[in-house]
Amino acid sequence: MSWTVMGSSGAVNARERAMRALYDEQVSALYAYVARLLGGDLYKAEDVVQETLLRCWRTQDLEEGQPLRAWLFKVARNIVVDEYRLRMTRPQEVNANTWLEDVLTKEAEVDSLLSAMILKEAFQQLSPKHREVLYETYYTGRSMREAGLVLGIPPGTVKSRVHHAVRALRMAMGLTERAEDQSGEKPAWWYTAAA
C-alpha cells in the first residue's frame, strides 16, 4: 500500500509530510488489526485501511502532532462493523457458482422427506410381526440370527418374515415387483425333481 497526495502549496506539503509520517508509523499495525477483524480477508482489510486514512486526511488536523493511533483503530473498527451491518440488512447475495447446487440439494431434501413420509405410512400398514422383523434387521442392523435371538424365533422364520414383510412393504408403497415375479414364471434355474 502506498499513499500519494498531490498538491503544490507549502501547506499541502506539510500536511502530506505529516500524513506520510502517520502512515509509516501506523499502517502495518492498523492493517494487521483490520485483517484480524475481517477473518484474514487481506483485500477487504486494505480497502478499510485506505478508507480510514482517507477519513483521517479529511477530518483530522495533522499538523498539531496529536496522537492519532487510537482514533485510527476506532475508525477502522467502525468501518468494519458498518460494512458487516450493511451486509446483514441486504438480501443474501447469490453466488453464481453454487446457487444451482443449493437448489438441487433442497430438492433432494424434499424428495427424501416425501420418501420418508411414504415409507412411514406404508410401514404402519404392515402386521406387527412384519414390523418387528424389519425393525430388528434393517433399522438396528442385526443379523437374522441376532434378530431371532431378540425376537425369540428361529433364524429361518426371521428370514421368511423379512422376505414377506419387504414384499408387503413394497406393495403398500405402490411399488411393483419385478416382471418375472408378477408373471408367475419360474426362473431359468428352476427345475422339478421329476425332470
Side-chain angles (χ1 to χ4, degrees), residues 6-194:
M6 310 241 348
S8 59
S9 70
V12 173
N13 287 335
R15 188 167 172 79
E16 181 181 337
R17 282 193 299 276
M19 191 67 195
R20 284 186 189 272
L22 180 68
Y23 177 87
D24 291 339
E25 292 171 8
Q26 304 297 332
V27 79
S28 60
L30 183 62
Y31 183 71
Y33 172 72
V34 172
R36 273 195 316 274
L37 285 177
L38 293 171
D41 188 342
L42 302 180
Y43 297 110
K44 283 187 182 179
E46 190 172 315
D47 290 342
V48 170
V49 169
Q50 286 178 358
E51 177 63 26
T52 303
L53 292 173
L54 182 62
R55 289 182 186 185
C56 179
W57 174 262
R58 286 188 204 150
T59 62
Q60 298 300 311
D61 186 14
L62 300 172
E63 283 93 25
E64 287 185 12
Q66 64 183 359
L68 293 173
R69 181 180 177 96
W71 185 89
L72 289 170
F73 279 69
K74 184 175 181 180
V75 168
R77 181 187 174 282
N78 289 344
I79 291 170
V80 170
V81 169
D82 289 346
E83 287 182 5
Y84 173 78
R85 287 179 180 160
L86 183 63
R87 276 195 317 272
M88 292 299 111
T89 59
R90 286 188 309 202
Q92 185 177 4
E93 295 177 7
V94 176
N95 184 346
N97 297 330
T98 60
W99 72 270
L100 184 58
E101 292 174 12
D102 291 343
V103 169
L104 294 176
T105 302
K106 289 177 184 171
E107 285 181 12
E109 291 171 3
V110 170
D111 288 343
S112 177
L113 179 63
L114 289 174
S115 295
M117 291 172 61
I118 292 169
L119 180 63
K120 181 180 177 184
E121 187 177 307
F123 192 76
Q124 290 173 345
Q125 293 177 15
L126 297 177
S127 70
K129 290 182 179 182
H130 285 163
R131 281 196 300 253
E132 68 185 7
V133 295
L134 288 179
Y135 175 82
E136 292 299 331
T137 54
Y138 284 99
Y139 185 74
T140 63
R142 291 189 171 103
S143 68
M144 298 292 174
R145 188 180 68 74
E146 292 169 337
L149 290 174
V150 169
L151 296 172
I153 56 177
T157 304
V158 172
K159 189 173 183 178
S160 174
R161 283 186 188 171
V162 165
H163 172 75
H164 292 291
V166 169
R167 286 185 69 191
L169 188 62
R170 289 176 61 107
M171 294 188 60
M173 291 177 65
L175 300 174
T176 59
E177 295 187 16
R178 295 181 306 226
E180 61 267 8
D181 290 342
Q182 288 181 346
S183 66
E185 295 177 4
K186 306 230 187 279
W189 53 267
W190 186 272
Y191 65 94
T192 61

